[in-house]
Amino acid sequence: MNKEELVIAGFRDLFNKLVWLNKSKMEDSLKGYKSSEVHCIEYIGRNEDSNGTKLVESFYMTSGAISKITKKLIKKGIIESYQKPDNKKEIYFRLTPQGKAIYEIHEELHKEFQERDKVVFEQVSEEQFDSMLSFVEKYSRHLDAEIKKLGADIKSESIE
């Protein structure tokens, strides 16, 4: 394998290991919620005035898929929709008290995982962090451009 293939294989392997290590604890703590629902809750919890368009952009999902997830979360009483007085067209989402509780559980799990992995990150220099972050940003911009070339600019899709 060349270096590019090794990097991609390394990212895939790291991601798969993280998912495997975190999966059972996440599933035990967040029973009854799919990963996509939890990530939606996390996004809404972190971002004021979340709406369907922002969720579509963040998750690279279709507006139909996001609509399905948000409707499920509304039905479960996890999020609620609202409109701003000055914008009756756009629908926004916020967490309910029950949604905030799920959000907090998820955040605590992330802190626990971060603590578990701290031993590695303590050994990384600022220069190494900067280099990795620069690469990730550059690669992400490249992938965004490739997505756009395919006409799959899902960021411009709207949601009801």
Side-chain angles (χ1 to χ4, degrees):
M1 269 196 255
N2 65 34
K3 285 184 179 181
E4 292 162 20
E5 292 170 325
L6 287 170
V7 167
I8 296 298
F11 277 135
R12 188 179 308 117
D13 193 44
L14 280 172
F15 179 76
N16 289 338
K17 286 176 185 176
L18 269 173
V19 169
W20 187 87
L21 272 172
N22 299 350
K23 186 177 179 170
S24 65
K25 193 143 206 172
M26 285 278 197
E27 286 176 349
D28 289 346
S29 299
L30 299 164
K31 275 188 181 10
Y33 297 96
K34 293 180 180 176
S35 175
S36 57
E37 293 171 334
V38 173
H39 287 117
C40 189
I41 293 165
E42 176 185 35
Y43 183 89
I44 293 168
R46 287 188 179 173
N47 298 281
E48 201 172 307
D49 294 334
S50 297
N51 61 24
T53 303
K54 290 176 183 175
L55 290 166
V56 164
E57 289 175 2
S58 178
F59 295 116
Y60 291 91
M61 296 173 107
T62 65
S63 57
I66 292 296
S67 182
K68 193 175 180 180
I69 293 168
T70 55
K71 283 178 183 171
K72 264 181 143 174
L73 291 174
I74 288 170
K75 191 174 181 181
K76 289 181 177 183
I78 302 300
I79 64 172
E80 59 189 11
S81 62
Y82 67 96
Q83 292 179 304
K84 293 182 177 182
D86 61 332
N87 182 356
K88 293 293 182 192
K89 184 180 174 216
E90 193 70 53
I91 295 171
Y92 297 92
F93 303 105
R94 63 180 159 233
L95 299 178
T96 64
Q98 187 181 347
K100 288 178 184 171
I102 298 295
Y103 175 82
E104 288 302 321
I105 291 168
H106 185 250
E107 286 297 297
E108 286 303 314
L109 287 169
H110 272 285
K111 285 178 189 167
E112 185 180 318
F113 301 149
Q114 202 170 7
E115 188 63 32
R116 175 197 66 205
D117 299 337
K118 192 165 112 177
V119 65
V120 174
F121 289 101
E122 288 174 340
Q123 299 172 38
V124 177
S125 71
E126 281 299 311
E127 189 178 277
Q128 289 171 316
F129 269 122
D130 291 343
S131 180
M132 287 185 285
L133 289 169
S134 173
F135 171 76
V136 168
E137 288 169 19
K138 189 180 294 186
Y139 195 31
S140 182
R141 283 193 306 272
H142 165 73
L143 294 176
D144 285 342
E146 290 299 311
I147 288 168
K148 198 167 192 164
K149 274 188 211 173
L150 293 174
D153 188 14
I154 55 178
K155 292 184 178 189
S156 65
E157 288 184 16
S158 62
I159 187 169
E160 290 128 37

